Amino acid sequence: MLKLRRTMLGALLIEENLVTPEQLDVALAEQRRSDSGKRIGETLVALRFLSEPNLLRVLSRQLDCPIVDLVQEPPDPSVLDVVPSEFAMKHLLIPLHRNDDTLVVAMADPLDINAMDDLELLTGMDIAPMLALGSDIRRVCEQFYMKKMLQDVKEAERAIEDEDNLDVADLQKMAKEELVIQMVNLLINQAIQDRASDIHIEPFEKDLRVRYRVDGVLHEVNAPPKRFHPAVVSRIKILADLNIAERRLPQDGRMRLRSGGRQIDLRVSTLPTLYGEGVVMRILDKQTAMLGLTELGMDPDMFVSYRRLIQEPHGIVLVTGPTGSGKTTTLYASLNEIYTVEKKFVTVEDPVEYQLNGVNQIAVNPQIGLTFANGLRSIVRQDPDIIMVGEIRDHETVEISIHAALTGHLVFSTLHTNDAAGAVSRLLDMGAEPYLVASSLIGTVAQRLVRLNCAHCRTPYEEKPEILREIGIDPALVKDRPLMRGKGCPECRGLGFRGRGGIYELITVDENVRRMIIERKAANTVKQYAQASQGMVTMLQDGRRKALEGHTTIQEVMRVCQREDFDA
């Protein structure tokens, strides 16, 4: 059994000067706010106040538990069968070796008593825990369990007929095989551990490709052999309550599961391709999506202006940007910031990706006539105070949104435009009357997402002077404060990036902007006024600032910003 010292972890960390009392207070407040079940050490690491190796060292002292380096002491492959891969990935542990009736297990959290009790029941052995880095355990789990699974696949050599000739009974039988169940579980669990937003399963003529989208970029991972493709797709269809007999038409479904003690929703989409059905699973993790307004990474002055904007009693606030730029996250954070039981909040979305406590959420369903416009029209009759429309797509939705704003409602929505000023032109192009837009619109935010440098391996680097000049940075400016980029480590899987953050620009609609809207001035004119008179920070300028502060790289900013902005 572990010997827990009486000294609290936070006190030990402060004693060793690894965190400050102020940082500990922030972490405790975040722990209470998020209610995610994370321990204080995990929260400190997530906030980047503490490194994982330092946390491990102090935990070892507090728990009197030895540390194991999995690189130097890999697990004995013969004991892997003792612990199922799904259990190991869920609890972030892996068996190392066996001493008579004792199983030595590497754990990221030896205080997880439930996991240890379950492991004792599962194995019938006493458990001797050792501390290891969570990132190391995750890597070793994937490496060893995937290798073992592929060996099992080779041993289970059996020809599977051409997919077109398989009947429903064959597919159902294959989907229930233990090996197929393990394959699908491992693919999903590994994606969740990797912080992926999407899982892509793509069949080709001779092989099957699996890719995870992590921080907006696709990365290929180990895939099952091609002959298991029909079985894997059928298993996913069963979980998502789709028709496994229909392989000629696209289908959409949803599944819910628990991973690492939290609930995960997956949105499933199938598409018939030349070599079989492709599958994309969107991972909807409420814990990662529910960011507070302070966590979005807005410039301090912009944050103050935006917070004041969303506390207005009525008007339209638009968030613009391309698909995948974090618009929905910004809207959810905004609703969370101003939520109160004294007001009624209603949303209409396509689809409802995350559930908000206390908010009435409606999912668009065009097949039965429930469009954004129809849903919004019904919402207005529900006596709401705050309305969120997932996206303004047509003239009818624009008209109802404007009417709602003019009759005393605060309306949030999104548009697909390149910048904040472009939102005005887009509304006018949709047929909205200029005087109505001028009377109802109170502000527009444009945003993009950039990958953030890995905090564990970021290091100074020199950028070419011509690249710096192209983005508007004087090369002399980086001599005293060098640029940073991740060099790649196990924590970020060698990518150099871990997580994403936003770059933003904000235009508030004042009297001068209203006049320009009524006069149908060009978007560039509105943008130039906002920069000159409102002190607007453009997305490019915000990106430059984040690169100079070491949060991201120049290349990331150039990747997401418009080329014409570089000369601005």
Side-chain angles (χ1 to χ4, degrees), residues 388-454:
M388 187 188 102
V389 186
E391 183 183 345
I392 291 179
R393 294 178 178 173
D394 52 40
H395 173 67
E396 192 176 7
T397 310
V398 173
E399 278 195 332
I400 304 170
S401 298
I402 290 174
H403 175 74
L406 293 176
T407 53
H409 304 90
L410 183 61
V411 181
F412 292 90
S413 192
T414 69
L415 278 177
H416 290 281
T417 64
N418 291 328
D419 56 18
V424 175
S425 301
R426 184 67 194 278
L427 291 177
L428 299 179
D429 290 342
M430 286 183 176
E433 292 293 339
Y435 73 94
L436 292 177
V437 174
S439 301
S440 59
L441 188 65
I442 60 174
T444 65
V445 177
Q447 67 179 76
R448 300 289 188 277
L449 290 177
V450 294
R451 290 181 292 173
L452 300 176
N453 290 326
C454 174

Side-chain angles (χ1 to χ4, degrees), residues 111-132:
L111 287 175
D112 190 347
I113 304 301
N114 291 332
M116 291 181 64
D117 289 345
D118 290 347
L119 202 52
E120 284 187 352
L121 287 172
L122 190 67
T123 62
M125 291 185 279
D126 294 329
I127 305 301
M130 297 185 75
L131 268 168

